[in-house]
C-alpha cells in the first residue's frame, strides 16, 4: 500500500512552492509526515520480569491524517447510535453551486458557518409548517468539502429522523410513507436564505449565480447505514490509502467510485497535483465538521430521553467507548509490560520545522 506520508515526505518541497498553502495546510502536511515517528514523541514499555524494552511512537492526532483517528471515528459513531430512534430516516444534502466555490474558498470559515446556519433554518422552517410534524426536527449535520473525485465541492449532509415530539410533550408525531420534504422547495428557500446572508454581511453575489440550486432529500432506511457512511470522512482525511493504486515517474493513480454508475474509476496525474487535491480539504483550525440540532443537540438530552421512552427504544451497547485498553505483553516471556517515563516532543520544535 502506498502511504500518504511517504508521498508527502518525497514531494513536500514542490508542494510548498507550487501550491497556495496556508498555515493549516503546512501544519497538516507536517503532522501527517511525523505521525508514528519520533517527532510525535516516544513511549517506552518495559517488562517487569525480563526487563525487555519496547518502543512505540505516538500518532499525530490530526483529523486529516489517514494513519490515525480511527478511535475518534468509532467514538462518534457510537455516540450517534445511542441517539437512534426506531423510525425511518432521511438524508438531506445542501450543495452550493459551482459559481460560488471561488467565494467559499477565500472565505471558508464564514461560508461553512453560513452553510450550516441557512440549511438548518430551512429544515426547521419546513418542520414547523408541516401539518403532520408541526415542531422541531432532530438533525445531525456533517460538512463535506470534496466530491468523489476529491475536487473542491462544499456541501452538508443532514441525517433527519422522520418526526418529532408533539407540543404537549406526550406524543411522537411523524409523516406517513417514505416522503419528507420536496427537494426543489427546500432548494428555493435555502438559496434565498444564503444569498440574503451574503448581502447582510457585505458580500456581493456573482451575476452568474444560478436561479436553481440543488437540495436532495432521500429516504435512507433506519439511519445506521447513513451514519456509518458519514463517519468515514469525519477524521482520517478524504482519501483511503488503499485507493492510491500506483506511483510511477512522478505520477499518481488513484481510484474513486462514480456516483451514478457506482463503478470504480481511476485518475492519473502529477504527484504534486494529487497531493494538493487531498490537502486542499483541510478545514480552518477549530472548525467543527459535525453538529447536532433540535432534539439531537447535546442540550436536549432530556427531550431525547423522553422520546426514547415514548418509542420504547432499546439502546445498543457502546462497544467502542467502553472498551478497555489491551495490555501490552512481552514478546519474550509473555508477561504484562509497564510504561516507563517518556519524552514528548515540544510543539514549538515541530513548528520550527514547517517554517
Amino acid at each position: 500500500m502506498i502511504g500518504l506520508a511517504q508521498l508527502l515526505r518525497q514531494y513536500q518541497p514542490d508542494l510548498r512552492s507550487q501550491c497556495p498553502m496556508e498555515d493549516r495546510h503546512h501544519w497538516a502536511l507536517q503532522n501527517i509526515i511525523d505521525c508514528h515517528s519520533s517527532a510525535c514523541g516516544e513511549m517506552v514499555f518495559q517488562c517487569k520480569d525480563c526487563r525487555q524494552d519496547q518502543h512505540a511512537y505516538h500518532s499525530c492526532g490530526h483529523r486529516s491524517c489517514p494513519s490515525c483517528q480511527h478511535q475518534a471515528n468509532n467514538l462518534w459513531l457510537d455516540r450517534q447510535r445511542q441517539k437512534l430512534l426506531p423510525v425511518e430516516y432521511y438524508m438531506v444534502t445542501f450543495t452550493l453551486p459551482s459559481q460560488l466555490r471561488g467565494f467559499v474558498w477565500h472565505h471558508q470559515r464564514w461560508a461553512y458557518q453560513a452553510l450550516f446556519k441557512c440549511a438548518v433554518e430551512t429544515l426547521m422552517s419546513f418542520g414547523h409548517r408541516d401539518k403532520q410534524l408541526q415542531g422541531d426536527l432532530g438533525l445531525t449535520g456533517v460538512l463535506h468539502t470534496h466530491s468523489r473525485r476529491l475536487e473542491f465541492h462544499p456541501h452538508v449532509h443532514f441525517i433527519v429522523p422522520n418526526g418529532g415530539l408533539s407540543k404537549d410533550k406526550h406524543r411522537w408525531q411523524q409523516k406517513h410513507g417514505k416522503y419528507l420534504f420536496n427537494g426543489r422547495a427546500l432548494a428555493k428557500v435555502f438559496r434565498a436564505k444564503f444569498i440574503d446572508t451574503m448581502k447582510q454581511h457585505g458580500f456581493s453575489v456573482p451575476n452568474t449565480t444560478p436561479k436553481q440550486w440543488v437540495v436532495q432529500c432521500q429516504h435512507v432506511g433506519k439511519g445506521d447505514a447513513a451514519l456509518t457512511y458519514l463517519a468515514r470522512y469525519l477524521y482520517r482525511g478524504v482519501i483511503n490509502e488503499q485507493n492510491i493504486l500506483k506511483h510511477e515517474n512522478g505520477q499518481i493513480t488513484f481510484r474513486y467510485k462514480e456516483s451514478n454508475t457506482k463503478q470504480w474509476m481511476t485518475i492519473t496525474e502529477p504527484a504534486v497535483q494529487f497531493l494538493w487535491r487531498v490537502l486542499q480539504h483541510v478545514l480552518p483550525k477549530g472548525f467543527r465538521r459535525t453538529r447536532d440540532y433540535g432534539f439531537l443537540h447535546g442540550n436536549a438530552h432530556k427531550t431525547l430521553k423522553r422520546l426514547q421512552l415514548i418509542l420504547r427504544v432499546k439502546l445498543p451497547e457502546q462497544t467502542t467507548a467502553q472498551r478497555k485498553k489491551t495490555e501490552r505483553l512481552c514478546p519474550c516471556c509473555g508477561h504484562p509490560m509497564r510504561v516507563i517515563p517518556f519524552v514528548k516532543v515540544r510543539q514549538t520544535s515541530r513548528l520550527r520545522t514547517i517554517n
Side-chain angles (χ1 to χ4, degrees):
M1 185 176 67
I2 301 172
L4 187 62
Q6 169 191 345
L7 296 173
L8 289 172
R9 190 176 294 111
Q10 180 175 348
Y11 292 100
Q12 64 170 317
D14 294 334
L15 189 63
R16 295 185 194 276
S17 63
Q18 297 177 24
C19 299
M21 295 177 64
E22 300 177 5
D23 288 345
R24 56 193 162 104
H25 302 117
H26 288 288
W27 181 241
L29 182 153
Q30 194 63 49
N31 272 269
I32 295 171
I33 289 176
D34 292 343
C35 190
H36 293 114
S37 73
S38 58
C40 284
E42 181 180 11
M43 182 177 290
V44 182
F45 296 88
Q46 188 177 81
C47 179
K48 298 177 182 178
D49 295 280
C50 66
R51 298 297 175 178
Q52 168 77 14
D53 287 348
Q54 274 197 331
H55 298 254
Y57 297 117
H58 291 286
S59 61
C60 66
H62 197 282
R63 59 182 172 180
S64 296
C65 178
S67 299
C68 58
Q69 296 291 298
H70 180 71
Q71 183 78 353
N73 264 22
N74 289 339
L75 286 171
W76 180 85
L77 190 56
D78 274 352
R79 288 194 300 269
Q80 296 302 324
R81 283 172 172 161
Q82 292 297 307
K83 299 179 182 181
L84 283 174
L85 300 174
V87 299
E88 300 300 309
Y89 277 73
Y90 296 84
M91 180 184 287
V92 186
T93 305
F94 293 82
T95 303
L96 293 175
S98 59
Q99 291 81 355
L100 288 180
R101 289 175 195 166
F103 163 79
V104 173
W105 174 257
H106 293 290
H107 303 86
Q108 290 187 40
R109 184 178 294 277
W110 183 91
Y112 297 154
Q113 184 67 33
L115 174 56
F116 267 113
K117 177 178 178 294
C118 295
V120 169
E121 288 180 355
T122 299
L123 282 171
M124 289 301 189
S125 67
F126 273 67
H128 287 140
R129 292 199 303 266
D130 190 277
K131 293 181 179 179
Q132 295 177 341
L133 297 175
Q134 295 182 346
D136 282 345
L137 302 172
L139 311 175
T140 296
V142 176
L143 173 70
H144 284 174
T145 62
H146 62 282
S147 66
R148 291 177 182 265
R149 295 166 57 94
L150 304 186
E151 297 162 330
F152 187 63
H153 183 263
H155 58 283
V156 62
H157 297 287
F158 286 93
I159 303 298
V160 187
N162 176 21
L165 191 62
S166 63
K167 292 182 179 179
D168 62 11
K169 309 295 184 183
H170 295 300
R171 291 176 292 107
W172 170 259
Q173 297 183 158
Q174 66 181 34
K175 299 192 69 171
H176 303 296
K178 296 183 179 181
Y179 172 84
L180 187 62
F181 302 129
N182 181 276
R184 291 183 180 179
L186 288 168
K188 185 176 180 179
V189 175
F190 171 63
R191 178 186 184 276
K193 286 182 177 294
F194 195 89
I195 289 179
D196 185 57
T197 301
M198 286 182 64
K199 292 179 178 179
Q200 287 179 7
H201 287 79
F203 296 115
S204 60
V205 181
N207 295 328
T208 56
T209 304
K211 299 292 184 182
Q212 303 292 329
W213 289 19
V214 177
V215 175
Q216 296 177 323
C217 183
Q218 59 186 113
H219 176 255
V220 291
K222 296 301 180 183
D224 189 82
L227 288 170
T228 302
Y229 165 76
L230 294 180
R232 296 175 189 170
Y233 305 105
L234 282 181
Y235 308 93
R236 309 186 74 189
V238 297
I239 189 168
N240 188 323
E241 290 179 316
Q242 293 180 346
N243 293 331
I244 305 175
L245 304 180
K246 189 185 299 184
H247 175 213
E248 290 181 351
N249 302 319
Q251 301 282 314
I252 300 293
T253 299
F254 72 96
R255 67 175 183 173
Y256 68 95
K257 185 173 287 188
E258 212 281 324
S259 57
N260 294 324
T261 63
K262 306 302 180 184
Q263 299 294 315
W264 285 103
M265 309 290 287
T266 62
I267 293 177
T268 300
E269 61 186 3
V272 172
Q273 186 174 331
F274 163 75
L275 292 172
W276 176 242
R277 188 187 288 258
V278 173
L279 279 183
Q280 68 177 326
H281 301 293
V282 175
L283 291 178
K285 183 179 179 180
F287 190 89
R288 290 185 295 117
R289 184 190 297 275
T290 176
R291 306 178 183 196
D292 296 320
Y293 302 89
F295 59 76
L296 294 179
H297 191 276
N299 292 337
H301 182 73
K302 291 183 178 180
T303 302
L304 179 61
K305 287 297 182 184
R306 181 185 290 269
L307 287 174
Q308 291 173 337
L309 287 172
I310 292 173
L311 295 172
R312 300 178 181 179
V313 173
K314 183 180 180 181
L315 295 177
E317 294 183 2
Q318 289 183 283
T319 54
T320 304
Q322 296 175 350
R323 186 182 300 152
K324 295 183 179 179
K325 291 185 177 180
T326 304
E327 284 187 326
R328 181 180 288 261
L329 301 180
C330 177
C332 296
C333 64
H335 290 106
M337 305 184 78
R338 63 185 179 89
V339 179
I340 62 177
F342 63 93
V343 178
K344 186 174 183 180
V345 175
R346 299 173 71 104
Q347 294 291 342
T348 52
S349 65
R350 295 185 63 206
L351 278 172
R352 282 197 293 270
T353 66
I354 63 175
N355 291 333

